[in-house]
Amino acid sequence: MRRGGATGAAASLGALLLVASCAGGSDPAPRPPHSAPGLSASIVQLRRDEVLKRVEIAVTNTSRVPVVIQTIDLHVPGYSGGGRQPEDEPLPPGQVVNLPTPYGEISCPATGDVGVGEPRVVVQVRRASDPTSYTVELTPTDPRGLVLGIATSTCVAQRLTSEVAMSFGPWRRTGSGADTVLHGTLHARLRADTPLDLTQLRGTVLFDLLPGDPTAAPLAHLTPARPRAVVPVLLRQARCDAHARAEIKKPYAFLVWLGPPGGEQLAVNPPVSVADAAAFEAVCHLGWHS
């Protein structure tokens, strides 16, 4: 009887353990998925960005965990956009990272003011400790009005370029090595029916472009009655180290300022011919025209 009682007690205990085991083995209630990490953005532009036709998206990590910015894509109505940019950029909590982002081409109207829409930034992001990727759409702030300002100045520059034809003349070389100087001319011809002044020149990282007569103000005054001007210019080395040569994207993106007499002047890029670029090799050898 004692043995039988023990057997019954054991069976009861086994049943209780089986019930407990089944209860403990059931699937736990699913946890709610993580929300995307908090981010904010603003649009800035540095001097180096201007010639490369890009802005920088300053992304702030407003969450409490480190994240990784995987890609970024800027969308602005009126701009063609540069497409999704790979980044793989770590971003600690509370920190900011500037991500250079091309904006593409701008749709300039035939007449009237340029029109652009509200910018959006699409970011692919993940937590640093989690491979799960989230797509976050941000409305960036634009405290300097860059989106409208870039479009406006670009379209005005396009118009000015069409109104004034420019080319460089033959180059004459003096000096040698780092002291080489090229003496040439900038030819300008007005193709519009309103006067325009040519007021300033600027070179690039590699080349200084200087007026032959720095006291002239303006450098050239173009009118329908006198539509042509020849501006003496000098080209010399600004910097020609290996790092500068390797990093430069547009070595011949010189700037010429044009505008109505006494009015706002805007910078445009004068065309550089193959013969011009070959001559520039004597000042800083890039190996493109040797």
Side-chain angles (χ1 to χ4, degrees):
M1 293 295 293
R2 199 176 295 167
R3 181 178 180 184
T7 301
S12 298
L13 179 60
L16 288 172
L17 291 174
L18 179 61
V19 171
S21 174
C22 291
S26 62
D27 292 334
R31 292 182 299 174
H34 286 301
S35 59
L39 302 173
S40 65
S42 62
I43 300 176
V44 298
Q45 188 180 52
L46 307 181
R47 182 174 293 276
R48 66 171 178 261
D49 300 316
E50 296 176 11
V51 71
L52 298 176
K53 297 175 67 174
R54 71 186 189 189
V55 294
E56 302 203 12
I57 307 300
V59 180
T60 302
N61 180 1
T62 59
S63 70
R64 297 182 179 180
V65 296
V67 301
V68 176
I69 305 297
Q70 298 171 289
T71 66
I72 191 165
D73 194 357
L74 174 65
H75 299 266
V76 183
Y79 290 69
S80 67
R84 181 183 297 180
Q85 305 297 306
E87 298 294 345
D88 198 30
E89 186 74 32
L91 184 55
Q95 298 295 307
V96 183
V97 63
N98 280 15
L99 303 175
T101 308
Y103 51 73
E105 301 300 323
I106 297 168
S107 300
C108 294
T111 59
D113 296 332
V114 65
V116 297
E118 185 177 60
R120 295 182 300 112
V121 175
V122 179
V123 178
Q124 202 77 20
V125 61
R126 66 174 179 84
R127 289 175 174 79
S129 60
D130 185 354
T132 305
S133 184
Y134 299 89
T135 300
V136 179
E137 184 174 308
L138 306 173
T139 300
T141 61
D142 185 11
R144 291 172 52 197
L146 288 168
V147 166
L148 179 59
I150 290 171
T152 300
S153 61
T154 298
C155 293
V156 172
Q158 272 189 25
R159 177 177 59 78
L160 289 173
T161 302
S162 69
E163 292 179 350
V164 179
M166 289 182 288
S167 63
F168 289 107
W171 297 96
R172 177 175 58 86
R173 174 180 172 179
T174 62
S176 62
D179 297 321
T180 297
V181 177
L182 296 182
H183 305 257
T185 52
L186 175 64
H187 296 261
R189 178 171 59 87
L190 182 68
R191 297 190 290 199
D193 56 3
T194 56
L196 289 173
D197 283 351
L198 191 159
T199 58
Q200 297 180 61
L201 305 174
R202 181 181 293 173
T204 67
V205 171
L206 301 182
F207 303 103
D208 285 331
L209 180 66
L210 307 170
D213 180 6
T215 65
L219 298 177
H221 177 59
L222 305 172
T223 68
R226 301 186 65 179
R228 297 177 182 273
V230 177
V231 180
V233 296
L234 305 176
L235 187 131
R236 67 186 184 191
Q237 185 182 119
R239 180 180 171 186
C240 194
D241 56 273
H243 178 74
R245 296 196 307 271
E247 292 295 318
I248 192 73
K249 299 296 190 299
K250 296 183 178 182
Y252 312 130
F254 302 114
L255 295 175
V256 174
W257 272 261
L258 296 171
E264 182 182 5
Q265 307 291 301
L266 289 175
V268 301
N269 298 121
V272 172
S273 69
V274 173
D276 294 329
F280 299 162
E281 290 287 292
V283 176
C284 182
H285 181 64
L286 301 177
W288 295 356
H289 304 279
S290 56

